Amino acid sequence: MRLAQRLLLGSLALLLTLILVVVTLSDEHVGTPLERLVQDRLEGEARLLGRDWSPNHDPDSFADTAGALLGARVTLVGPDGRVVGDSDESTDNLPRLENHASRPEIRGALDSGVGRARRTSASLGREQLYVAVRAPLGVVRLSVDPANVDSQVRRTQWSVLVVGATALLVASALAMLFARGFGRQLAELRDVAQALASGDLSRRPVLAAPGEVGELAAAVHRMAEQLDSRLQAMERDDLLLAATIESLSEGVIVVDSARQVIRANDAARHLLGVDDSPPFASERLPRDRVLRDALAEALEGGTTEEMEFAFGDRMLVLRAKSLADGGAVLAVRDVTASRRLEATRRDFVANVSHELKTPLTVISGFAETLLDEEGEPAQRRRFAEAIQSSAHRMQRMVDDLLDLSRIESGGWKPAPTTLDTSVVVGDTLLPFRPAAERKGITLDVDIAPDVRTVYADATALRQILSNLVDNAIRHTAAGGRVTAFATVEDNGVWIGVRDTGVGISPAHLPRIFERFYRVDAARSRDGGGTGLGLAIVKHLIEGHGGRVRAESVQGSGTTIAAFFPS
């Protein structure tokens, strides 16, 4: 037999083999996706019916109406497996239908939310496609005859056979002319197809031939381009999703149906103290009871409400939700700061109420007494002075609260300038000297020779010194000493006040800069203090980028100093 004849027969045999392979594989690559597409459509319709199925509807009438609209058999099954509605069965015949709880699609819907099956119908005696979806009132099942799908596959196979037969005829006429080149072309297409199938999407057919081979080459080229672009799009979407999840301040953990953590962003690993990178077993998550219970419930198909729990020194809020594939997603949020803020707000309201109650009581009591016109003038004067003193105290408290609110809300920004240290300290102490003399306290200034200037907001610096000197005078007994001092440090200046007063115990010292915190509440109120001075001092210093420190020995005195950076 001549070479041309052998090539012709070989080409024909190869083409015939390829046609048979394509026809054989079309059932898997066309029939299966088409059947899955039909099932996906039935699932979507079943979900819509499940959402519309309500106790107000008669189940059988609802099934009949839905079946007529959708062109499919609609079956409504209760949670116990009893059929309560069927578009192909009369209402009278429903009680005689056997329990459907054992049907594979019903079991799948009850277990995981969706069940699918292709089997022979017990009532119809022929094969049907079934899709069941769990609904609030039970299970909605849709079924259709797969004959349409099978016929579409047959038509596809027939189309392939027709094209193949045409190709065989053309090949028979032209094989002697193109036998050698045709063989190389087929080999190239084969190699490209195999490369694409193995995942090498960079391969492309380079031949340009007329007829079916050229069209096949162009189709393979377009298919490779589409596969490559879709794969790149999927990779971009995955990178975008990963970047989005990583950018969240909320922790996100995704667990698959095999209980493997397949995704966990940095926030989740930080909040839960997890060092492992996905994937890893869910057993390696922290063994917190709330976390474990929420994960178990979500993996069983449930969704939890937000649950707050303590984890280490944090307060976390956790919410878990099941995924359609049997996995679960956990969302963790840190609410420590907000809870602390809520506690601070509660304490603030309680403290303000408590602080205002005493002067208001004094004002109210003495005002009622003054209404008695029979009181002695001297006594009435004392009452009026008490009312005035309480009103002044309330005014100071309101002024301090407004200052503190303005500073904390960002409404105040320091405007630092270079100030003469001696002048600022001397001017600030001047108004306090009469009070110090009346109490028998020596008021001194101790400024180091190398501290000539300080870079600070003039008003803020005076307010800081005024608060510190006022506190020192109020807590120093007669014969004591209050000293305003300034020393230099490499990168700034320390300005503060020390006294020889009663001092502060170590237990109270760390909290003296909190609002309304008093070491001796009764003595502080008697002295006219509002409990806000040191809190204002701390915020004013921090506004300069500096810091404050307090040192005290109980019974020997206290030193409070503010550091102003150069």
Side-chain angles (χ1 to χ4, degrees), residues 39-319:
Q39 289 177 332
D40 291 343
R41 177 180 63 82
L42 292 177
E43 180 182 337
E45 293 171 348
R47 291 187 183 278
L48 291 176
L49 292 179
R51 186 188 63 185
D52 295 337
W53 180 17
S54 69
N56 298 328
H57 295 143
D58 176 61
D60 195 45
S61 299
F62 180 73
D64 294 341
T65 303
L69 290 174
L70 299 177
R73 182 178 181 181
V74 178
T75 305
L76 304 181
V77 182
D80 57 354
R82 183 173 56 85
V83 178
V84 297
D86 193 295
S87 60
D88 287 4
E89 296 288 347
S90 64
T91 303
D92 296 338
N93 195 41
L94 292 180
R96 290 191 290 272
L97 295 177
E98 65 177 277
N99 190 288
H100 279 42
S102 61
R103 299 291 197 272
E105 67 277 2
I106 301 298
R107 288 200 311 270
L110 291 174
D111 292 341
S112 61
V114 179
R116 298 182 177 187
R118 177 170 180 166
R119 59 180 178 78
T120 302
S121 172
S123 57
L124 299 178
R126 60 179 182 271
E127 197 172 41
Q128 294 284 295
L129 279 178
Y130 292 99
V131 175
V133 174
R134 185 173 56 207
L137 298 182
V139 176
V140 177
R141 187 186 73 178
L142 271 66
S143 61
V144 295
D145 192 335
N148 293 332
V149 176
D150 295 339
S151 64
Q152 183 66 35
V153 175
R154 300 287 86 78
R155 285 196 297 271
T156 302
Q157 292 175 333
W158 177 252
S159 299
V160 173
L161 288 174
V162 171
V163 172
T166 304
L168 282 174
L169 293 176
V170 174
S172 298
L174 301 177
M176 294 302 296
L177 297 175
F178 303 101
R180 183 176 300 175
F182 191 66
R184 288 196 298 267
Q185 293 166 357
L186 287 179
E188 181 182 350
L189 287 177
R190 179 200 61 201
D191 295 340
V192 171
Q194 289 177 348
L196 294 176
S198 63
D200 183 7
L201 300 182
S202 63
R203 291 292 299 275
R204 299 289 187 274
V206 296
L207 64 89
E212 288 80 358
V213 175
E215 293 175 1
L216 180 59
V220 171
H221 191 282
R222 289 196 301 271
M223 180 183 67
E225 292 290 342
Q226 291 178 2
L227 287 174
D228 190 25
S229 62
R230 290 181 181 181
L231 182 60
Q232 291 180 6
M234 291 175 63
E235 291 176 349
R236 288 195 300 270
D237 291 343
D238 187 66
L239 292 174
L240 177 61
L241 177 61
T244 302
I245 292 178
E246 287 297 333
S247 66
L248 294 175
S249 59
E250 186 178 61
V252 178
I253 297 175
V254 182
V255 182
D256 63 12
S257 57
R259 295 181 177 270
Q260 289 286 315
V261 176
I262 58 176
R263 192 181 292 275
N265 63 356
D266 288 339
R269 294 198 295 272
H270 173 70
L271 292 175
L272 298 178
V274 177
D275 297 328
D276 300 317
S277 297
F280 59 87
S282 62
E283 285 75 14
R284 302 182 71 172
L285 291 173
R287 295 190 174 278
D288 182 87
R289 183 181 60 82
V290 175
L291 178 66
R292 293 286 176 168
D293 291 347
L295 177 59
E297 183 174 349
L299 289 174
E300 292 174 359
T303 298
T304 65
E305 298 297 330
E306 287 192 345
M307 297 178 292
E308 186 171 318
F309 66 103
F311 186 81
D313 58 350
R314 294 189 179 98
M315 290 300 298
L316 304 180
V317 171
L318 171 69
R319 190 168 188 264

Side-chain angles (χ1 to χ4, degrees), residues 515-543:
R515 290 176 292 186
F516 295 112
Y517 187 81
R518 292 187 174 93
V519 177
D520 187 339
R523 185 177 62 191
S524 296
R525 293 192 185 96
D526 292 341
T530 64
L532 297 171
L534 290 182
I536 294 175
V537 167
K538 182 174 184 290
H539 284 290
L540 289 175
I541 294 170
E542 290 177 347

